[in-house]
Amino acid sequence: MTLLMLLCAIWLIVAPWILRYPITDPAEEAQRNETGVGLVMLFVAGARMLRRRGWLSDLITLLLGLWLLVAPFVVDYGGEATPRVVRNNELVLGILLTALAVASMLLYARGRRTGEGAERD
C-alpha cells in the first residue's frame, strides 16, 4: 500500500508535464496544488517506508485525498476554462488516495485488534 501511495505522490508531481497542462492561470493553480499535495504525500510515503505505519500517516493521506476530491470545485481553477484533464486527474488521484487511506486504516485497526500491532505494508 505504501508503494501505491508513493506512486500517487510521484504522479501528482509529474502529471502536469506528462498530461501537458496548458500554460494558463487556472492550470498553473492546479499544478501548484497537485505539486504541493504530491510533495506532502511523498514525505508521508517515505516516512511510512522508514518507520512503522500508524494512524497519523493514514489520516494525512485521507485528508490529502479528500482535498483533491473537493479542490477542483472549491478552488474552481477558472471554471469551465479549466481543461477537463486537470479536473479528472485530481478526482482520480483523490479517489485513489482516499481508498488507500481507508484500506490502510482498516488493516491497521484489524492488526491492533488481533494484537499484531502496526505492520509494515
Side-chain angles (χ1 to χ4, degrees):
M1 217 169 293
T2 301
L3 182 59
L4 291 174
M5 290 176 184
L6 181 64
L7 291 174
C8 286
I10 293 169
W11 175 255
L12 281 167
I13 295 168
V14 301
W17 291 282
I18 293 174
L19 297 176
R20 297 184 179 171
Y21 284 13
I23 302 175
T24 61
D25 286 340
E28 287 178 3
E29 287 178 35
Q31 181 180 357
R32 281 191 293 273
N33 182 52
E34 290 177 17
T35 301
V37 170
L39 289 173
V40 172
M41 196 62 232
L42 194 62
F43 176 76
V44 170
R48 286 174 63 103
M49 289 180 168
L50 297 175
R51 301 174 41 176
R52 298 180 79 130
R53 75 178 157 93
W55 65 271
L56 185 58
S57 65
D58 292 336
L59 178 63
I60 293 169
T61 303
L62 177 67
L63 292 174
L64 291 173
L66 292 174
W67 170 249
L68 286 175
L69 286 173
V70 300
F73 308 103
V74 172
V75 179
D76 193 30
Y77 302 142
E80 294 301 316
T82 305
R84 190 168 270 150
V85 68
V86 173
R87 191 170 287 126
N88 290 345
N89 186 50
E90 288 196 6
L91 293 175
V92 168
L93 268 292
I95 291 168
L96 282 172
L97 287 177
T98 301
L100 287 171
V102 169
S104 184
M105 286 175 167
L106 292 173
L107 289 172
Y108 182 74
R110 189 182 82 191
R112 295 209 22 119
R113 265 195 316 269
T114 61
E116 296 172 15
E119 298 288 323
R120 287 184 184 231
D121 54 23

